[in-house]
Amino acid sequence: MPPTQAESVIKNIIREIGQECAAHGEIVSETLVAFMVKAVVLDPSNGFNMDRTLIKSDVQKLVKLCVSRLLDSKNPSLDTIKMQVYFDMNYTSREEFLEEHHRVLESRLGSVLREITDNRACAREELESLYRKVVSYMLLRSGLGSPTDIKIVREATAALQSVFPQAELGTFLTLSKKNKERQLKDLSMLVTGIRLFNQDCGKGGEGIDDLPAILREAIPATTQHIDSQLQIAQDLAYRYTAILEKVTENPLMSMELQSYMLKEALYNVRQYEIFLQTILSDIIICAQEVEMMIKQLGAHLEQLKMTVKSKTAVPTSQVFPIFIALSNLWTSFQDETVLVSVLSNLTAHLEQFLGAHELLFPEKVMQDLLNEVTVKTDVYRIKEHMEDRVHLVDFRKQEWLFPETTANFDKLLIQYRGFCAYTFATTDGLLLPGNPAIGILKHKEKYYTFSTRSAAYSFAENPENYIDLIREKAKKNAELIQLLELHQHFETLIPYSQFLSFKDTKIKNKKTPEIHGLECFLIFLSTFDYEANGFGYS
């Protein structure tokens, strides 16, 4: 089957699942459905044989299972998967976001820019109209006020005339398109710098928001909200962990309690915690950048005042570079303002994926379960075993790393996000924080931490056995693939060209064609290109 036809088969399955959910009042995105399809196929309890052809009855079963899971409103696992899909579709790194943000801004200016660079004005009225368009472009590019506000337009026009009188339009029109664009960009920065300086001197600044003040208020507010949500998530995680430890020690309690639901709830709050920490890290960088920029802004403005003072004329070589520096700095303030806003909105939207906790485990139930149970924080657990270090004399083949003997010890990329590999493997999925002070095991160029020394010793006896157990657990709970960063365990080595081995069957009369090789189906599903909204854009 050609790749395009395989995509068509997958898309038909995804569309059918989406339609079934919609018929029950649940609107789901294609991305979420694709994730769920992979989750259902990977789960061995569903009986999809990776070596067998996926036939029509398998597709019907797959659709039914996916719809059932997507409609389960009391499922922490589904909430976690939805949270992961939402975060993946709406978050990107700081660098990628700023690059995309600038690209979008440039694209929005494209039509205005072309109206100027393609202009062939000759008559006086045409030149005046062109000059007004240049002023509008300056305002749109700088983001400092509306080009429909007469006060702002007058101020921007005065600033432009001081560096580019209307009489120079004739020369401008003789330039190449590329040089016109470059000059317009330079003029825009000069006008922006002039207006910012005038505002500081109390002689202008109409329509210019006080971005430093706005950011100094918004960043602490956002940080405070994230901190409070982190506290809620961590408190829940500590309580779930304490109860699950009790269940592990008492098998009878496990029979009475749906411990798998508790674990799924634990995965939910741990994933939420990880996403919040990612956002908080970005917010902290924003705060650092803003404080640095505020100092630079003050320095540039002071330098301009010293340069200009009471002089009637100042060489452009002295002031133009400072105006441009001011403009670049203000663009950075605008970037940080948008980024903080997007991160704040993302934080708020993540809260919707915590709904199952109060529903499944209300406070009364939690208090009963926590009876005679000691709730420990992650920090407390680590401090408990700070002295229980691995003895190197007990190991001849394994390599153990310690803080005092390893450069950049705290920057090592720990497997399973730093959770204890042995505990997770032997308790069917309990998450306990690993303690690097005990010793980090280096196994096949990967690093593992453990909650106790005995856990470290046991894991080191047969690492591959426990790694396999963790992989199998992730097949049953697909949200663990992202939560514990297990993607490499589910990557396949089958090259793209092998998709051509799919049976060449055409989709006719709504018949479902056979898809030879369920693993190939999963590969195509993984590489299927879904449209996301993007980080902060529609």
Side-chain angles (χ1 to χ4, degrees):
M1 182 188 301
T4 52
Q5 191 169 334
E7 284 188 21
S8 180
V9 172
I10 293 167
K11 199 162 187 177
N12 283 346
I13 293 172
I14 290 171
R15 187 182 298 114
E16 184 175 350
I17 294 169
Q19 289 171 347
E20 286 279 341
C21 290
H24 289 83
E26 185 71 21
I27 305 302
V28 292
S29 69
E30 286 190 345
T31 312
L32 176 60
V33 175
F35 195 113
M36 187 56 71
V37 170
K38 285 189 285 185
V40 168
V41 171
L42 282 171
D43 189 342
S45 67
N46 291 325
F48 290 100
N49 191 330
M50 300 298 282
D51 299 322
R52 188 171 66 80
T53 301
L54 188 68
I55 57 177
K56 184 176 180 180
S57 60
D58 291 324
V59 173
Q60 292 172 339
K61 177 183 175 183
L62 177 60
V63 170
K64 185 177 179 180
L65 286 170
C66 287
V67 171
S68 176
R69 286 198 63 180
L70 287 166
L71 295 178
D72 187 356
S73 60
K74 298 180 181 180
N75 190 328
S77 177
L78 176 60
D79 280 344
T80 305
I81 289 171
K82 286 181 176 179
M83 188 196 309
Q84 292 170 339
V85 170
Y86 180 84
F87 192 82
D88 284 347
M89 292 178 69
N90 291 278
Y91 174 83
T92 187
S93 70
R94 175 188 173 86
E95 292 74 18
E96 290 172 332
F97 166 74
L98 293 177
E99 182 179 337
E100 175 66 6
H101 177 57
H102 292 158
R103 186 195 66 76
V104 170
L105 291 179
E106 289 290 340
S107 68
R108 289 174 180 171
L109 288 169
S111 60
V112 181
L113 184 61
R114 283 190 295 274
E115 282 185 32
I116 297 172
T117 57
D118 295 346
N119 200 293
R120 296 291 181 267
C122 294
R124 179 180 174 183
E125 294 79 8
E126 293 174 335
L127 290 170
E128 288 176 351
S129 175
L130 176 59
Y131 199 75
R132 287 194 294 271
K133 287 179 181 178
V134 172
V135 173
S136 294
Y137 173 80
M138 303 286 156
L139 288 170
L140 290 171
R141 185 176 188 87
S142 67
L144 301 184
S146 169
T148 60
D149 187 312
I150 189 63
K151 289 182 180 179
I152 295 172
V153 170
R154 284 174 179 167
E155 183 182 316
T157 302
L160 179 61
Q161 285 175 339
S162 68
V163 292
F164 182 73
Q166 186 174 323
E168 293 186 17
L169 271 179
T171 305
F172 171 81
L173 289 170
T174 64
L175 299 175
S176 66
K177 185 179 180 70
K178 189 174 181 180
N179 284 335
K180 286 177 185 175
E181 290 176 354
R182 184 183 297 113
Q183 185 169 354
L184 285 170
K185 184 178 179 180
D186 290 344
L187 287 172
S188 179
M189 289 192 288
L190 286 173
V191 168
T192 299
I194 292 168
R195 291 189 65 209
L196 290 169
F197 178 62
N198 288 343
Q199 180 195 41
D200 186 65
C201 296
K203 298 178 181 178
E206 188 75 31
I208 299 178
D209 294 324
D210 189 350
L211 296 186
I214 290 171
L215 285 164
R216 274 187 159 166
E217 182 178 338
I219 289 176
T222 303
T223 303
Q224 185 177 2
H225 178 64
I226 295 174
D227 283 337
S228 67
Q229 289 302 113
L230 266 174
Q231 188 64 53
I232 291 170
Q234 289 167 343
D235 286 346
L236 272 175
Y238 302 152
R239 297 167 91 190
Y240 288 144
T241 303
I243 296 168
L244 285 167
E245 281 183 304
K246 183 179 178 181
V247 171
T248 303
E249 297 166 2
N250 186 351
L252 290 176
M253 185 180 175
S254 180
M255 293 175 65
E256 298 171 2
L257 180 70
Q258 290 180 312
S259 59
Y260 74 93
M261 277 290 192
L262 267 173
K263 285 175 185 171
E264 290 180 1
L266 175 61
Y267 303 155
N268 181 264
V269 291
R270 284 297 192 183
Q271 183 65 83
Y272 181 58
E273 175 191 15
I274 288 165
F275 286 156
L276 287 181
Q277 287 172 336
T278 300
I279 296 171
L280 182 59
S281 176
D282 285 348
I283 290 290
I284 290 171
I285 292 173
C286 286
Q288 293 169 342
E289 289 291 320
V290 167
E291 286 307 310
M292 179 181 69
M293 291 189 304
I294 287 174
K295 292 178 181 177
Q296 291 175 343
L297 178 66
H300 288 322
L301 290 171
E302 186 60 31
Q303 185 181 1
L304 267 175
K305 288 175 184 176
M306 294 296 293
T307 303
V308 175
K309 279 190 176 179
S310 58
K311 298 175 184 175
T312 54
V314 182
T316 57
S317 60
Q318 292 183 26
V319 292
F320 277 18
I322 308 176
F323 287 142
I324 290 174
L326 276 176
S327 174
N328 286 328
L329 201 54
W330 203 256
T331 298
S332 295
F333 277 118
Q334 292 169 326
D335 288 346
E336 299 302 328
T337 304
V338 175
L339 183 53
V340 170
S341 175
V342 170
L343 291 171
S344 179
N345 288 334
L346 180 57
T347 303
H349 280 94
L350 286 179
E351 294 171 29
Q352 66 184 299
F353 303 110
L354 303 177
H357 295 283
E358 185 61 32
L359 198 64
L360 295 171
F361 306 106
E363 187 60 27
K364 177 64 170 65
V365 173
M366 289 294 287
Q367 289 301 330
D368 291 342
L369 293 172
L370 288 167
N371 187 36
E372 297 182 0
V373 172
T374 302
V375 177
K376 302 176 182 178
T377 67
D378 286 351
V379 173
Y380 181 86
R381 289 178 183 279
I382 290 173
K383 286 182 178 178
E384 259 188 323
H385 300 281
M386 285 297 287
E387 306 303 321
D388 299 340
R389 293 164 62 102
V390 166
H391 301 305
L392 290 178
V393 293
D394 296 331
F395 299 91
R396 292 183 179 180
K397 296 181 180 179
Q398 283 92 349
E399 182 180 356
W400 291 89
L401 308 177
F402 298 95
E404 67 275 9
T405 58
T406 307
N408 298 316
F409 181 83
D410 59 339
K411 291 183 173 59
L412 293 175
L413 184 61
I414 307 299
Q415 294 296 294
Y416 314 128
R417 289 199 193 267
F419 290 110
C420 176
Y422 175 79
T423 302
F424 185 83
T426 57
T427 59
D428 192 32
L430 176 60
L431 295 175
L432 290 183
N435 185 352
I438 291 172
I440 296 178
L441 174 65
K442 184 178 180 181
H443 174 69
K444 292 186 176 179
E445 301 306 314
K446 292 184 172 60
Y447 306 97
Y448 302 85
T449 56
F450 309 94
S451 57
T452 64
R453 182 168 59 195
S454 61
Y457 275 60
S458 297
F459 184 92
E461 289 177 5
N462 190 356
E464 292 302 319
N465 173 56
Y466 299 110
I467 292 170
D468 286 342
L469 288 173
I470 293 170
R471 186 186 298 113
E472 290 305 307
K473 175 63 178 173
K475 288 180 181 179
K476 298 176 185 177
N477 289 86
E479 67 269 31
L480 290 169
I481 296 173
Q482 178 162 337
L483 174 60
L484 301 183
E485 298 182 310
L486 298 172
H487 301 92
Q488 74 276 11
H489 292 291
F490 294 92
E491 289 175 355
T492 177
L493 298 177
I494 296 178
Y496 187 84
S497 59
Q498 287 193 21
F499 291 131
L500 299 177
S501 67
F502 286 4
K503 187 177 181 180
D504 188 7
T505 308
K506 292 187 178 180
I507 305 172
K508 289 183 178 179
N509 303 321
K510 297 184 180 179
K511 291 182 179 179
T512 306
E514 297 181 358
I515 301 177
H516 283 275
L518 187 51
E519 191 165 4
C520 285
F521 172 78
L522 278 173
I523 304 163
F524 236 127
L525 194 61
S526 298
T527 57
F528 194 68
D529 185 24
Y530 300 101
E531 292 185 2
N533 288 332
F535 190 33
Y537 295 104
S538 57

